[in-house]
Amino acid sequence: MRTISNQKYEITDIAHEEYPFLHRIRALRDICGEIRAGDIGGFVESESNLSAEPGDCAWIFDDAIAAGDAYVDRDACLRGDAIACGSAYVSKGSVMSGHSRAEDNAYLRGASMTGKALASGNAQIIHNPHTMGTPILSGNCKVYGTVQGDIRITGSAVILPCEEVRNDTRDTFVLSGKSRSVIRGIGRETLKPLQKEVSPMKTKTPKKRGVER
């Protein structure tokens, strides 16, 4: 069943093999060029899991799941076998793929999760609008704290509940297991003039300093 206001998708009778309370969605119209009317999507528990707002490209693909009170909106998407459950909020262009999982009160805003990455507890994975830095989680990493900006967390890295890793620079921070490294931004090592070069024809002879006699 779908609400009268939901003209974006419907919940079908196709149940999940392992979790029969989940059902696949079907697009009722073309969505942002990638999804066509009639296309089958991933699984939801109810319409409370996926935005039906006009113009919102949020979608659940493949065998991905949004369950419980989890919510996907604002052009975010779930792909592969990704799972958003509990009260997780996946928003603002975030992409979850692989076997990644967002649970509890995790909040993703403009983030990317893949592999077996986990966002749990009160984790916050947040894009930095000033530096345009996007957090990327992959491997078997687990995040319970806050990650913001151009940060790549991979391998077996763990961010604890009270730990905050913020990057407000133009470099990339890489956390992998117990190691931490930096990838310098393009052009960061090159010196540039403070002002634009002045044409020789317009160069003025500097005035002499001191008292003339």
Side-chain angles (χ1 to χ4, degrees):
M1 297 294 292
R2 64 184 175 87
T3 60
I4 297 176
S5 61
N6 184 359
Q7 303 300 315
K8 180 178 179 180
Y9 65 92
E10 64 180 352
I11 299 177
T12 71
D13 293 329
I14 306 173
H16 193 280
E17 292 183 3
E18 185 176 358
Y19 306 109
F21 58 91
L22 301 173
H23 292 81
R24 285 193 183 277
I25 56 175
R26 179 188 289 116
L28 295 174
R29 58 175 174 79
D30 293 353
I31 303 171
C32 300
E34 185 173 2
I35 304 112
R36 300 299 181 185
D39 283 355
I40 296 294
F43 296 90
V44 299
E45 187 169 349
S46 71
E47 287 189 350
S48 298
N49 297 134
L50 175 64
S51 169
E53 291 295 320
D56 191 342
C57 296
W59 191 250
I60 301 172
F61 294 85
D62 310 316
D63 293 323
I65 293 171
D69 288 325
Y71 190 55
V72 182
D73 74 351
R74 298 189 180 187
D75 303 338
C77 67
L78 274 55
R79 297 178 181 271
D81 295 295
I83 296 176
C85 59
S87 295
Y89 182 24
V90 186
S91 187
K92 291 197 173 181
S94 293
V95 178
M96 294 181 62
S97 61
H99 289 83
S100 59
R101 182 184 181 100
E103 60 186 19
D104 300 331
N105 295 306
Y107 173 42
L108 275 66
R109 188 180 74 196
S112 174
M113 291 181 62
T114 189
K116 294 184 178 180
L118 171 69
S120 188
N122 293 311
Q124 296 187 57
I125 320 298
I126 304 171
H127 167 82
N128 187 319
H130 302 293
T131 63
M132 302 304 290
T134 299
I136 299 176
L137 278 59
S138 61
N140 291 292
C141 70
K142 295 175 175 58
V143 176
Y144 294 81
T146 299
V147 176
Q148 181 175 354
D150 190 358
I151 302 172
R152 300 177 188 177
I153 302 180
T154 186
S156 58
V158 176
I159 304 300
L160 300 176
C162 294
E163 187 174 7
E164 295 185 6
V165 183
R166 300 178 185 273
N167 182 9
D168 295 322
T169 75
R170 289 183 290 150
D171 296 330
T172 300
F173 294 175
V174 181
L175 285 68
S176 177
K178 295 182 180 180
S179 68
R180 297 189 173 188
S181 58
V182 174
I183 299 176
R184 294 284 282 164
I186 298 176
R188 294 274 278 159
E189 302 294 339
T190 303
L191 298 179
K192 297 180 180 179
L194 181 61
Q195 299 178 344
K196 293 182 179 179
E197 294 185 4
V198 180
S199 171
M201 296 297 293
K202 297 182 179 180
T203 302
K204 296 181 179 180
T205 303
K207 295 181 179 180
K208 294 182 179 180
R209 295 183 181 180
V211 179
E212 294 184 0
R213 294 181 180 179

